[in-house]
Amino acid sequence: MVLTHNLGFPRIGAQRELKFALESYWKGASPRDELQALGARLRQRHWQQQAGLDLAPVGDFSFYDQVLDMSFTLGNLPERVQGFHGDALDNYFRVARGRSAHGSDDHHACCGGVAAGEMTKWFDTNYHYIVPEFTAQTAFKLDASRLLAQLAEARAQGVKAKPVIVGPVTYLAIGKAKDDSDKLALLPRLLEAYAELLDTLAAQGVEWVQIDEPLLVTELDADWQHAYNTAYHQLKGCRVKLLLATYFGQLLENQYLAANLPVAGLHIDAVNGRADVTPLLGLMPAHKVLSLGVIDGRNIWKTDLAAVLDWLEPIAQKLGGDRLWIAPSCSLLHVPVDLESEHRLDPEIKSWLAYALQKLDELKLLSTALNQGRDAVKDALAANQAAVAARRASPRVHNPAVRAAIARIDAELGRRKSGYAQRAPLQAARLKLPAFPTTTIGSFPQTAEIRQARSRFKAGELGEAGYKSAMQAEIARSVREQEALGLDVLVHGEAERNDMVEYFGEQLDGYAFSQFGWVQSYGSRCVKPPILFGDITRPKAMTVEWIRYAQSLTNKPMKGMLTGPVTILNWSFVRDDQPRSVSCKQLALAIREEVLDLEKAGVGVIQIDEAALREGLPLRKSQWKNYLDWAVESFRITANGVDDETQIHTHMCYSEFNDIIASIADMDADVITIETSRSDMELLDAFDDFNYPNQIGPGVYDIHSPNIPTREHIVQLMKKAAERIPAERLWVNPDCGLKTRQWAEVIPALTHMVEAARALRAVI
């Protein structure tokens, strides 16, 4: 029999229950027991929803991040939190976000906590993980209590449990050596802890353990290839069966390595890496299970089940049912929970979609068809085929005028009239900014009043005029606060925007919107990606009225705030029936129209955020150039129709930029703002060897932590930046937008930031 299993399930809850429980706990509004009880209820529900599978994941649930969970399981805690004697969960949150809950022992210590762990993107997804920290002296000490407790819960509920852990080689690779030591030198110590963990699970009667090694879909040098052989030959003596799971890409040259590691089974992403399957069938030993990820775990379109069966049936016949498992391509963490909760979604578009629970239903249909024949599910297969065909033929998907506009794109469309050296003095004369100009990234706190007004407006309880008035009042508040703080370039605060991508998608033809399509970005932060289903057009201006109003309130420069085409693309559920590059250029043409309308309205500074530029990079460097070529071209199409006097900003966050800095320079933005605070300016190492030509604002205020930076700390960070970037080209700003923070945190933090800029002007 072909077996079914799942690699991971969304942990936030269909109604974002975990988000609200976490935030209540962090505010001190609810006790720890309530948070832990909510976690137990969610786990119970999620296991029930996966009851039809042959094996369900255990340990995929997390209160913040599965990589941070692994660090605590391995006893790999940063030195700055090792002396904490409070509750283990509080210490966990200290690493995740700098502090735990109000009222905890940590709240008053060190002015509110410790430095939060560095955060970056999980491979090429929009999920952020807490980066493991290493030194040459790092020791590992197993603490399996979290995993064992969840295993006991699952067993009590009759779950056919498959514990899930991050594999040792991937864990080392995605971590950071804080002292520049060789991470691989830690492998022998690390493997001792992994062996102890696997033996502990074996003692509990566990048969299969899923050990995630997505690093295998990247380019590995000889040392990391050797690390895989070392690791799994050492772990092969453990008394459990290991299912080594890869996902997000192709194995390619790592096929032989993956096929011959001494594990009981291998999972591959057969959506992104289908070409790996035929070679693997010839490479894998006859005793090894092959798990194929045949349902897309990263997008929400229905699977063409007949096409998958046409491909799978010969493989099942060749392997025999006992050696073939099927699953989603990766954890379902990256998709929403349940399509059935969507009552307002366009019915036609809804018929084309599948969320996590529907994907598991698709998996069960495939399993039944493989094990009992297609006739056993012929009606369900026919309904699936009808939906797939309807989407393919829908006139809502294709717009000939948009296709014609794409065909007319040429190199001239993406060029500024003059180079940066000619533009900079013209912009300086227009804006009249001091040295070390201060600004913020765009958003200010989304207060309870803002959310209430938006909720009432959407429910029809507040008219359009009332909603507009409420948002203008919030914009006016933001402008007043910024002027009082003494910031140099202001923003309108984005009170009217629910999300930096969804807001624009709602106003573009070719997009659809869910009500409950939430996915976790990090911790309690959830996003609701819009659904890009068809060709993109901009029916009317989207932001001009709001920015014009904000500018009318001040004599200081007001930034026009836009999200760039690459980020809109990467943070959407994107159609899979054409190349992503085509969809991106359609977005570029639409946002370009908005840029030009802002300029016509007299806006002299326009920020086009590309927070997700690096996130879209293929996992293999050999494939980067193609992506960067069309991504940078799309940004330039968007930004470069303006006059030389108009200053273009862009913003990027929480990614490693050093290896793509030349492409970032090719974007030719006048000013770029990036995250550097959590990495203590390490991201600026790129400028040791690369002469970045334009202006840059290295983020000095970590907005993802409730900790308030001191003036002295900001001055220190900026002095580090000035060692690499000429002081006359430096800006002072937070590392990201402030929508998730409270005004009580923002005001003192920005006060310190402005004071730091003034101090810098006096000494540099």
Side-chain angles (χ1 to χ4, degrees):
M1 298 286 286
V2 173
L3 296 184
T4 58
H5 70 109
N6 188 20
L7 278 68
F9 196 81
R11 58 181 72 123
I12 59 171
Q15 307 294 324
R16 294 182 292 162
E17 297 94 323
L18 182 58
K19 167 189 172 66
F20 300 121
L22 283 168
E23 292 173 356
S24 177
Y25 174 67
W26 292 336
K27 291 174 184 175
S30 60
R32 183 181 300 112
D33 289 350
E34 281 189 19
L35 175 63
Q36 291 173 326
L38 183 277
R41 291 196 299 275
L42 286 174
R43 290 190 293 271
Q44 179 180 20
R45 182 200 306 166
H46 297 163
W47 285 324
Q48 289 172 344
Q49 290 169 327
Q50 299 173 84
L53 301 175
D54 294 299
L55 288 171
V58 170
D60 57 325
F61 179 88
S62 174
F63 279 122
Y64 204 94
D65 164 50
Q66 74 270 10
V67 178
L68 183 59
D69 289 347
M70 200 70 219
S71 292
F72 271 72
T73 298
L74 295 167
N76 179 29
L77 278 61
E79 184 177 352
R80 62 187 177 276
V81 303
Q82 288 180 8
F84 184 69
H85 299 298
D87 182 87
L89 186 62
D90 280 337
N91 211 22
Y92 175 87
F93 289 136
R94 293 171 84 227
V95 181
R97 54 192 301 272
R99 70 166 72 154
S100 183
H102 288 298
S104 74
D105 293 341
D106 186 47
H107 176 48
H108 298 292
C110 303
C111 302
V114 299
E118 187 175 342
M119 187 165 62
T120 196
K121 301 292 178 71
W122 176 244
F123 291 83
D124 61 347
T125 74
N126 185 36
Y127 177 81
H128 304 60
Y129 71 94
I130 302 297
V131 178
E133 299 176 26
F134 307 117
T135 68
Q137 285 73 45
T138 294
F140 302 98
K141 183 178 180 182
L142 180 68
D143 178 1
S145 56
R146 179 194 65 89
L147 191 55
L148 292 177
Q150 291 189 24
L151 179 63
E153 285 180 28
R155 288 244 175 95
Q157 295 168 34
V159 176
K160 303 166 188 174
K162 169 172 57 77
V164 176
I165 59 176
V166 179
V169 184
T170 293
Y171 180 77
L172 273 183
I174 63 173
K176 178 176 285 188
K178 303 297 282 187
D179 57 357
D180 295 322
S181 58
D182 178 12
K183 293 186 291 186
L184 280 175
L186 299 174
L187 186 60
R189 275 179 252 167
L190 180 62
L191 291 175
E192 290 177 8
Y194 269 86
E196 184 181 355
L197 173 59
L198 294 175
D199 283 340
T200 300
L201 292 172
Q204 296 294 315
V206 170
E207 181 181 9
W208 282 94
V209 173
Q210 176 185 314
I211 192 160
D212 288 358
E213 291 283 9
L215 188 71
L216 274 166
V217 303
T218 67
E219 290 152 336
L220 303 173
D221 64 24
D223 289 341
W224 287 95
Q225 291 174 358
H226 180 66
Y228 269 108
N229 279 311
T230 298
Y232 287 93
H233 277 88
Q234 184 163 331
L235 296 177
K236 70 179 180 181
C238 298
R239 296 171 292 121
V240 292
K241 295 178 181 178
L242 295 182
L243 177 71
L244 189 146
T246 71
Y247 39 79
F248 299 152
Q250 298 172 277
L251 290 170
L252 296 179
E253 75 281 359
N254 296 327
Q255 289 169 359
Y256 182 87
L257 172 64
N260 287 282
L261 290 174
V263 293
L266 174 67
H267 171 86
I268 68 164
D269 180 341
V271 173
N272 292 299
R274 181 177 287 196
D276 287 329
V277 176
T278 298
L280 284 173
L281 292 174
L283 290 170
M284 285 181 59
H287 64 274
K288 190 173 290 188
V289 165
L290 178 62
S291 168
L292 297 178
V294 294
I295 305 291
D296 191 344
R298 300 238 338 236
N299 216 328
I300 58 173
W301 305 107
K302 278 186 174 174
T303 306
D304 185 340
L305 297 178
V308 171
L309 283 170
D310 289 344
W311 173 70
L312 267 181
E313 285 165 344
I315 296 173
Q317 188 172 11
K318 181 171 184 177
L319 285 178
D322 57 334
R323 286 186 59 208
L324 177 63
W325 294 9
I326 58 173
S329 59
C330 60
S331 170
L332 296 177
L333 173 70
H334 310 286
V335 296
V337 177
D338 187 6
L339 185 65
E340 292 305 311
S341 62
E342 300 287 1
H343 302 300
R344 300 179 188 170
L345 189 60
D346 182 298
E348 181 181 15
I349 294 168
K350 181 178 176 180
S351 72
W352 303 340
L353 306 180
Y355 288 2
L357 292 180
Q358 288 70 43
K359 288 177 182 294
L360 294 180
D361 289 339
E362 290 182 335
L363 192 67
K364 295 167 194 173
L365 277 172
L366 290 172
S367 172
T368 302
L370 289 168
N371 289 325
Q372 301 177 30
R374 296 195 195 195
D375 282 349
V377 286
K378 63 181 180 181
D379 291 343
L381 289 176
N384 171 266
Q385 282 303 104
V388 170
R391 178 186 167 210
R392 200 173 287 140
S394 174
R396 300 176 65 183
V397 172
H398 307 291
N399 184 331
V402 175
R403 300 296 167 123
I406 294 293
R408 290 194 298 269
I409 290 175
D410 59 19
E412 193 63 28
L413 203 64
R415 274 196 207 106
R416 288 292 287 266
K417 294 178 174 66
S418 305
Y420 171 77
Q422 291 75 44
R423 303 193 306 262
L426 297 174
Q427 294 166 13
R430 178 180 184 178
L431 298 173
K432 299 179 176 60
L433 299 174
F436 296 101
T438 56
T439 190
T440 63
I441 302 306
S443 58
F444 273 102
Q446 288 271 309
T447 62
E449 293 81 4
I450 292 173
R451 291 192 175 97
Q452 183 181 41
R454 183 178 298 121
S455 177
R456 292 181 61 215
F457 177 56
K458 288 188 173 182
E461 299 168 3
L462 181 65
E464 186 171 347
Y467 176 71
K468 180 179 178 181
S469 177
M471 294 303 101
Q472 286 182 337
E474 294 291 341
I475 291 169
R477 175 186 182 180
S478 292
V479 173
R480 286 196 308 272
E481 296 286 6
Q482 291 173 87
E483 288 199 313
L485 286 162
L487 289 161
D488 299 306
V489 176
L490 310 191
V491 299
H492 78 296
E494 302 181 12
E496 81 287 359
R497 303 185 190 183
N498 46 1
D499 175 84
M500 64 183 287
V501 172
E502 186 177 12
Y503 174 79
F504 291 97
E506 284 177 340
Q507 301 181 77
L508 295 170
D509 286 345
Y511 265 104
F513 301 89
S514 64
Q515 187 179 4
F516 297 107
W518 297 101
V519 294
Q520 184 182 22
S521 178
Y522 64 87
S524 68
R525 172 74 172 143
C526 301
V527 294
K528 185 153 58 72
I531 302 163
L532 198 168
F533 71 87
D535 291 335
I536 297 296
T537 57
R538 185 197 75 141
K540 61 180 181 179
M542 301 179 284
T543 66
V544 174
E545 182 180 355
W546 298 110
I547 304 301
R548 185 188 284 125
Y549 172 73
Q551 184 65 82
S552 74
L553 303 175
T554 181
N555 292 322
K556 290 192 172 185
M558 176 66 61
K559 279 195 286 191
M561 298 301 307
L562 303 172
T563 304
V566 184
T567 296
I568 294 177
L569 182 89
N570 285 333
W571 288 355
S572 298
F573 290 121
V574 181
R575 58 190 292 188
D576 57 359
D577 61 339
Q578 70 179 13
R580 291 172 69 87
S581 59
V582 175
S583 295
C584 197
K585 289 175 184 176
Q586 291 180 2
L587 287 163
L589 291 175
I591 305 300
R592 177 188 175 92
E593 294 175 9
E594 189 73 15
V595 170
L596 295 177
D597 279 351
L598 283 169
E599 185 180 50
K600 288 175 189 172
V603 178
V605 183
I606 302 172
Q607 181 171 309
I608 307 167
D609 287 339
E610 285 294 15
L613 178 79
R614 197 187 195 286
E615 179 182 310
L617 275 176
L619 295 175
R620 294 175 172 275
K621 288 188 176 181
S622 59
Q623 299 168 357
W624 282 12
K625 184 180 184 303
N626 178 60
Y627 166 77
L628 288 169
D629 283 350
W630 62 254
V632 170
E633 180 188 10
S634 296
F635 178 85
R636 291 176 66 106
I637 289 168
T638 301
N640 287 351
V642 297
D643 291 334
D644 289 345
E645 293 83 357
T646 299
Q647 190 174 77
I648 296 293
H649 290 223
T650 191
H651 169 69
M652 300 176 187
C653 59
Y654 292 97
S655 291
E656 299 288 345
F657 298 114
N658 300 25
D659 44 10
I660 61 167
I661 191 64
S663 294
I664 292 173
D666 286 343
M667 293 166 68
D668 200 24
D670 298 300
V671 182
I672 178 175
T673 52
I674 60 174
E675 179 280 323
T676 51
S677 58
R678 280 206 179 192
S679 61
D680 197 32
M681 292 285 164
E682 287 179 16
L683 284 176
L684 293 183
D685 290 348
F687 302 103
D688 290 338
D689 302 313
F690 183 86
N691 183 20
Y692 187 77
N694 302 4
Q695 298 173 56
I696 186 165
V700 291
Y701 162 20
D702 175 13
I703 70 89
H704 293 87
S705 169
N707 297 341
I708 295 169
T710 64
R711 184 187 76 167
E712 293 71 24
H713 180 65
I714 294 171
V715 169
Q716 179 186 22
L717 289 177
M718 289 303 300
K719 285 182 176 179
K720 283 187 179 182
E723 294 171 1
R724 297 170 169 92
I725 305 288
E728 63 270 17
R729 290 201 269 121
L730 283 172
W731 287 61
V732 184
N733 48 262
D735 61 9
C736 207
L738 299 165
K739 69 180 292 184
T740 61
R741 301 263 56 93
Q742 305 295 317
W743 279 107
E745 300 163 332
V746 166
I747 295 297
L750 292 182
T751 298
H752 295 167
M753 192 184 84
V754 172
E755 290 173 351
R758 290 171 179 161
L760 288 162
R761 290 166 195 157
V763 299
I764 293 183

